[in-house]
Amino acid sequence: ASWEGEGKGPQASQEEKTLRSVCARVGLLLGDRSVGDTERGLRGLKLSKEEIREALARISLLGHLPDPSNEGEMRRYRSALGAHVHLQLRVEAAWAASEEDEEERDTKSMEVKKVSEALARLPPLRAEGGDKPIVTGKWLMEVGKAKPGPLLGKMKDYMHFVQVDRDLGGLEDVEKVFKEEMAALGEMDEASYAAHLKALPRLQWPPEQ
């Protein structure tokens, strides 16, 4: 499982915040089990589908922290998790503190602390719409002259990834990156073109391997 960044949504209601907090604690308790065992355990507790989904999301993210010295990675982590990011870091801190081995506990706790501090220093994105995608599929086809088809979505996802990773400020910046990418693609045959697009990263956390 992974969280995908699609721009900031409305501020979470108090009910939603409570749900996330409860599910985060459930996820923490079950974090050392396999996903299958955890899901069966949650169903046994008669939790709702939404509560199970939230708890599994917390578990899937445990231990997947960004490099605090890499601002692009920090921006992607913040955008992909959105309103959940601070809650997730609290869960990470609690999970680190539960380590029985003192050295491992100190190491993990320090990692969470560094990420939290880096996040606090990270300025807002320069784009007017924050992490909302600047370019659309329509723009890619009509202005960018990208080939229509199922791979168009991969290009759109990649441009969103680059927008956040490099903190691009507007359409002009994104268009420059797009033209550079298309220039490289123009020299490829059809098979290489398709393989390249399929391999492009998208804005999600944990990152694709």
Side-chain angles (χ1 to χ4, degrees), residues 101-120:
D101 182 80
E102 183 178 358
E103 184 176 353
E104 186 73 11
R105 181 170 65 248
D106 291 345
T107 298
K108 288 186 175 182
S109 295
M110 181 56 66
E111 289 175 355
V112 177
K113 183 174 184 290
K114 287 180 178 179
V115 171
S116 297
E117 291 173 346
L119 186 66

Side-chain angles (χ1 to χ4, degrees), residues 58-110:
R58 299 292 140 234
I59 294 170
S60 73
L61 292 168
L62 279 174
H64 294 284
L65 290 170
D67 178 355
S69 66
N70 185 325
E71 288 195 354
E73 198 165 294
M74 288 296 303
R75 283 190 286 268
R76 287 188 280 114
Y77 180 75
R78 179 180 65 184
S79 290
L81 271 65
H84 303 83
V85 67
H86 295 293
L87 171 61
Q88 185 63 32
L89 285 174
R90 290 198 296 272
V91 174
E92 294 281 1
W95 191 50
S98 69
E99 280 285 349
E100 294 184 1
D101 182 80
E102 183 178 358
E103 184 176 353
E104 186 73 11
R105 181 170 65 248
D106 291 345
T107 298
K108 288 186 175 182
S109 295
M110 181 56 66

Side-chain angles (χ1 to χ4, degrees), residues 12-20:
S13 67
Q14 186 58 47
E15 183 179 357
E16 289 172 328
K17 290 178 181 178
T18 300
L19 170 64
R20 291 171 185 167

Side-chain angles (χ1 to χ4, degrees), residues 166-180:
R166 303 185 193 178
D167 194 16
L168 302 180
L171 182 58
E172 184 178 340
D173 296 330
V174 178
E175 186 173 2
K176 181 180 178 182
V177 175
F178 173 74
K179 287 181 177 178
E180 292 172 354

Side-chain angles (χ1 to χ4, degrees), residues 19-36:
L19 170 64
R20 291 171 185 167
S21 184
V22 169
C23 290
R25 284 161 173 76
V26 173
L28 183 62
L29 290 171
L30 302 173
D32 60 347
R33 299 186 182 185
S34 69
V35 173

